[in-house]
Amino acid sequence: MLRRHGAKIAVFLLCLAPVLWLARRAWSGNLTPNPIEYITHYTGDWAIRMLVATLAITPLRKVLHLPGLIRFRRMIGLFAFFYASLHFATWFGLDKFFDLREILRDFAKRRFILAGLATFVAMLPLALTSTKGWIRRLGGRRWQMLHRLIYFSGIAAVVHYFWLVKSDLRLPALYGSLVTILLAYRAGSWWVAHRPSRGESPQRI
Ligand code: HEM
């Protein structure tokens, strides 16, 4: 089922649904009394959800023996970047009104903004080099190395969330736990693949 063309279209529509829902609410003037804050939170939520979903693809396809899941990783990763871009643009354009002095002041004053910027900047090369052409240009190994930046993005997004909340830490803690489990899974797989086999001296690794 996962290999069908329709499955890709279904995942695409699912990933697009949140922004369509937001557009519908905006169209009907139903974005709460503080629309900018609402859009910032809404797009931030979807950016981190998509980022965690992207990180989950590899562990899920191995644990559930569903190799076909890999077909969706690039799309979901690009949607993570799409929602992060909307989030950033809302803050930059609607909240700060492109006022560079105010923006720089925010970077200096609020550490969670810096963590958000670090997350966004790390996601940028991943989105730009996500095509087959870039895999060919960079070579598989270098491309994979570069795409390990997603681990940094996952951690930085959680730090961003932890630093911005004032009291209720439940959601950042949930995302933090998910990212920790997903990265621990990868670290475990790496260790299993690289540990010395019996009789092999550790110096040779
Ligand atoms: C330069 C980049 C970024 C800036 C300036 C930024 C700014 C903000 C701001 C101003 C808020 C609202 C804070 C508040 O109301 O107290 C926020 C919330 C949030 N941001 Fe970002 N952000 C950035 C990047 C990101 C990225 C890349 C992600 C995820 C991949 C992300 C995820 C979130 C989340 C999950 C929230 C909380 C949403 C909620 O409370 O429901 N942000 N961000």
Side-chain angles (χ1 to χ4, degrees):
M1 201 181 87
L2 291 175
R3 289 178 198 283
R4 291 219 187 110
H5 188 59
K8 235 176 170 175
I9 296 174
V11 173
F12 178 83
L13 291 175
L14 267 178
C15 293
L16 195 66
V19 74
L20 295 180
W21 189 82
L22 183 68
R24 193 173 161 265
R25 279 192 75 146
W27 182 255
S28 52
N30 198 9
L31 286 180
T32 77
N34 191 340
I36 296 175
E37 187 183 285
Y38 181 80
I39 300 172
T40 307
H41 284 253
Y42 184 85
T43 49
D45 281 338
W46 279 102
I48 199 166
R49 282 174 195 151
M50 295 284 171
L51 189 58
V52 172
T54 312
L55 275 171
I57 295 279
T58 297
L60 282 181
R61 69 181 248 263
K62 288 191 181 156
V63 172
L64 304 175
H65 304 289
L66 288 172
L69 276 179
I70 196 70
R71 296 177 61 223
F72 309 111
R73 190 172 62 181
R74 175 169 170 255
M75 190 200 294
I76 301 174
L78 284 173
F79 267 107
F81 182 69
F82 170 67
Y83 285 105
S85 304
L86 287 181
H87 180 63
F88 173 70
T90 308
W91 173 80
F92 190 80
L94 299 181
D95 195 1
K96 299 293 154 196
F97 230 74
F98 306 99
D99 181 341
L100 277 178
R101 268 201 8 214
E102 176 67 20
I103 284 166
L104 289 176
R105 202 173 310 136
D106 231 15
F107 280 134
K109 215 172 57 190
R110 304 206 279 177
R111 59 182 185 166
F112 82 84
I113 296 280
L114 264 186
L117 180 71
T119 314
F120 187 64
V121 167
M123 290 169 86
L124 194 65
L126 304 183
L128 292 178
T129 61
S130 69
T131 58
K132 283 198 181 115
W134 270 104
I135 301 178
R136 226 178 307 113
R137 235 168 283 164
L138 289 173
R141 242 182 112 76
R142 264 198 294 169
W143 186 87
Q144 265 185 340
M145 291 275 282
L146 175 71
H147 278 248
R148 291 200 182 122
L149 267 178
I150 191 167
Y151 308 151
F152 172 81
S153 298
I155 296 168
V158 169
V159 171
H160 174 59
Y161 205 170
F162 261 111
W163 279 350
L164 71 89
V165 292
K166 273 133 204 137
S167 53
D168 190 353
L169 291 173
R170 275 177 302 177
L171 271 177
L174 171 70
Y175 287 116
S177 314
L178 288 174
V179 169
T180 306
I181 292 167
L182 295 171
L183 296 190
Y185 176 87
R186 279 182 167 81
S189 306
W190 186 90
W191 188 79
V192 168
H194 290 83
R195 73 183 158 182
S197 51
R198 265 191 211 168
E200 198 179 354
S201 69
Q203 290 96 304
R204 286 180 55 207
I205 307 165

